Amino acid sequence: MAKLSVIIPTFNEEAYIEDALFSVAFADEIIVIDSFSTDNTPEIAKKYATKFLQRKFDNFSNQKNFALKEATGDWVLFLDADERVTHSLETEIKATLQNPKHGGYKINFPHFYMNRFLYHHSDDVLRLVKREGAQYAGSVHEKLTCNGSVGKLKNKMLHFTYKGLENYISKKESYAWFQAQQQFEKGKKATWLHLLFKPSYRFFRSFILKGGFRDGVPGMTVAAVNAYGVFERYVKLMLLQKGMR
């Protein structure tokens, strides 16, 4: 079977990183790329990782691409510290790498919030790729590309992304600056119409079109915070246009 490398970016993830590392113990190589954590993340990671790297954080793509250059496996699985590979997904990954039909595979991520998995608030994300030719681009909500066609695995990745409402909102606000800066550098403009319609559509898409209403109050909360994140992004883009930050 082709060799598998796992890459995990971290920053102050002491509460999550050990379980993430346990879930990918089957991999041939585990690389942790840390942004100089100030908690016990480095000590925990060094116990299990094949390679422990540290690099000053500038953006998500550069961080992962840096680790990608250190990988030696034929295939690479990208994992966040708050994600877990289930036994079923592990079995499917092993079987897939024995006879791969694509150059990369998407995995479905149902988000965990308010003590339940939101199966109607999930994403299909490209995470398992052939190492050769793979690369990330974009400073936030970075996009992974690979050589060849892209398939999809059947089993899901567990994602414990929401660590409470306050943390979720703070995360959205932080991402908003990265996204606004990225759009500003591309010459995109924000208007009052964006502020009015974009957040409303994001809520409608998350809560209605994607079926978030089926997840009850947690689904509604996630849709509302997502809409707030879009609002923050356009507010910050308008501030950048005025030379303010």
Side-chain angles (χ1 to χ4, degrees):
M1 184 178 75
K3 290 187 176 181
L4 175 67
S5 295
V6 174
I7 292 176
I8 308 176
T10 58
F11 178 68
N12 290 348
E13 296 285 0
E14 64 180 7
Y16 289 85
I17 185 60
E18 191 164 31
D19 286 344
L21 291 164
F22 279 150
S23 78
V24 292
F26 65 93
D28 300 285
E29 178 181 60
I30 301 174
I31 300 174
V32 173
I33 173 67
D34 184 69
S35 304
F36 292 99
S37 292
T38 56
D39 63 2
N40 291 321
T41 296
E43 288 73 20
I44 297 171
K46 288 175 183 178
K47 294 179 183 178
Y48 308 100
T50 310
K51 295 180 182 179
F52 179 79
L53 311 173
Q54 286 190 304
R55 178 182 182 274
K56 184 178 179 181
F57 181 86
D58 50 3
N59 65 57
F60 295 100
S61 289
N62 289 344
Q63 203 75 350
K64 293 177 181 179
N65 288 334
F66 178 84
L68 185 57
K69 293 178 181 178
E70 298 290 327
T72 61
D74 305 291
W75 286 76
V76 179
L77 174 67
F78 290 92
L79 187 77
D80 287 344
D82 57 4
E83 297 167 353
R84 308 287 180 265
V85 175
T86 64
H87 179 68
S88 297
L89 181 57
E90 173 189 338
T91 300
E92 185 178 11
I93 289 173
K94 289 178 179 178
T96 298
L97 296 191
Q98 287 181 351
N99 184 29
K101 295 179 173 59
H102 303 279
Y105 291 87
K106 291 183 177 181
I107 302 174
N108 185 259
F109 289 73
H111 303 307
F112 186 83
Y113 188 60
M114 293 185 177
N115 296 318
R116 63 187 290 187
F117 284 102
L118 310 184
Y119 289 103
H120 299 95
H121 186 85
S122 63
D123 302 294
D124 294 328
V125 186
L126 180 62
R127 287 293 191 86
L128 179 64
V129 294
K130 286 183 180 178
R131 177 174 58 84
E132 186 175 352
Q135 186 176 22
Y136 270 98
S139 57
V140 66
H141 292 310
E142 63 282 8
K143 184 178 181 180
L144 177 61
T145 56
C146 67
N147 285 336
S149 59
V150 175
K152 180 184 174 182
L153 299 182
K154 295 180 180 178
N155 289 283
K156 301 179 184 298
M157 179 86 76
L158 302 185
H159 189 194
F160 298 91
T161 183
Y162 306 130
K163 306 173 181 69
L165 183 59
E166 184 178 352
N167 176 271
Y168 187 27
I169 293 174
S170 176
K171 186 176 181 180
K172 286 294 181 180
E173 290 174 342
S174 176
Y175 280 179
W177 273 121
F178 281 107
Q179 292 170 322
Q181 185 67 46
Q182 192 174 34
Q183 290 183 324
F184 181 72
E185 292 172 355
K186 292 180 179 179
K188 294 186 177 181
K189 303 291 185 181
T191 68
W192 291 105
L193 287 177
H194 286 118
L195 289 179
L196 178 63
F197 291 109
K198 289 289 187 177
S200 300
Y201 178 73
R202 178 57 63 89
F203 180 88
F204 177 75
R205 179 175 179 270
S206 179
F207 193 61
I208 303 299
L209 296 184
K210 295 184 71 173
F213 64 90
R214 297 177 183 175
D215 291 316
V217 173
M220 182 178 66
T221 303
V222 169
V225 177
N226 283 343
Y228 169 74
V230 173
F231 178 81
E232 279 288 297
R233 183 203 317 166
Y234 283 103
V235 167
K236 288 170 170 54
L237 181 55
M238 293 179 76
L239 292 175
L240 289 172
Q241 290 168 197
K242 295 180 180 297
M244 301 168 60
R245 177 164 180 172

